[in-house]
Amino acid sequence: TRAYYEARFELAFLNSRGEAFQDFFSSIMEKRYPEDFSRVRPWGNAGDWKNDGYLKSARTLFQSYAPNELDVAKCLSKIDEDFKGALPHWSTHFDKWVFVHNSRQGLGPQVTKHLLDLDVAHAPLKTRSWGYEELRQEAFQLPEVHLASLLGAAPSMQSVVSLGMKDIQPLLDQIVLLPGTPDPDLRPVSGTKLSYNQL
């Protein structure tokens, strides 16, 4: 069950972009901190005042950024625009500003240094970044009922045991349509493979 949820979380993280990523992040936080985390959405011409979410108890403001490709210049510009744009509206309400991003591999040195520079320039305000591992740790503090709501229910042992040919036929039909392997491995298959897989 845990492996299923880990795989589903990684898939959701890697496939979410733009508003979908922001929604994924906000859903995790709402389930993790009910009545404490506020999802903020654009409202008419006013926008969201550079606030994608607010955790009241921790006085923390979140801004998410999930482009298709993380370009350094655009990322730095986005950080400046969102951080400085939030100050006139929210400065009396937050002590920490968190840049939530969708880069599985982390942030580059230019972006990391820029966040550190903002941290120094605006002390005692703190700037931080959250990526894959921070969101994963928040998500896996949730009880299973909330993980199922977020990621889809894990298959039960009964559903695995009762899996039959009619269930996997659509998968087999799709495999037939895939292009062939240029140099397939044609070594003989073990004689025990069919019985081992109960086929």
Side-chain angles (χ1 to χ4, degrees):
T1 298
R2 176 62 183 247
Y4 169 84
Y5 286 128
E6 290 275 6
R8 293 288 295 179
F9 176 85
E10 183 172 26
L11 189 65
F13 182 92
L14 294 175
N15 288 342
S16 298
R17 298 287 182 269
E19 288 183 22
F21 180 80
Q22 183 179 332
D23 186 58
F24 180 58
F25 159 73
S26 294
S27 295
I28 293 170
M29 297 297 284
E30 283 175 335
K31 292 175 190 306
R32 178 87 169 93
Y33 303 99
E35 298 186 16
D36 191 10
F37 179 80
S38 298
R39 181 191 299 244
V40 181
R41 68 179 182 88
W43 194 273
N45 293 332
D48 59 13
W49 291 354
K50 305 304 179 186
N51 179 353
D52 288 337
Y54 180 68
L55 188 59
K56 187 175 181 181
S57 63
R59 290 180 51 85
T60 301
L61 187 141
F62 297 89
Q63 187 67 38
S64 71
Y65 183 55
N68 288 326
E69 296 293 333
L70 206 61
D71 175 85
V72 172
K74 289 179 182 175
C75 189
L76 295 175
S77 174
K78 174 71 172 167
I79 288 171
D80 280 341
E81 176 189 339
D82 291 341
F83 180 80
K84 291 170 184 173
L87 292 174
H89 303 288
W90 308 104
S91 62
T92 58
H93 300 284
F94 74 96
D95 302 320
K96 187 189 294 184
W97 185 85
V98 179
F99 180 67
V100 185
H101 62 85
N102 69 330
S103 174
R104 179 70 168 89
Q105 291 77 31
L107 298 172
Q110 305 95 320
V111 178
T112 302
K113 182 177 185 305
H114 194 65
L115 288 168
L116 290 171
D117 290 343
L118 284 176
D119 204 55
V120 171
H122 294 272
L125 246 176
K126 295 179 176 137
T127 60
R128 298 292 184 266
S129 66
W130 280 19
Y132 181 84
E133 190 56 33
E134 290 80 7
L135 286 185
R136 182 188 157 279
Q137 288 188 25
E138 291 291 344
F140 283 95
Q141 292 297 318
L142 296 171
E144 187 175 344
V145 65
H146 291 323
L147 278 175
S149 169
L150 181 72
L151 302 169
S156 67
M157 184 56 73
Q158 179 60 39
S159 66
V160 172
V161 169
S162 64
L163 191 68
M165 183 56 81
K166 67 177 179 9
D167 300 302
I168 63 170
Q169 190 62 51
L171 176 62
L172 297 175
D173 292 341
Q174 191 62 36
I175 290 172
V176 169
L177 301 175
L178 296 174
T181 306
D183 295 313
D185 184 355
L186 298 177
R187 290 175 294 169
V189 177
S190 165
T192 62
K193 189 165 184 69
L194 288 176
S195 58
Y196 178 80
N197 288 290
Q198 298 178 351
L199 296 174

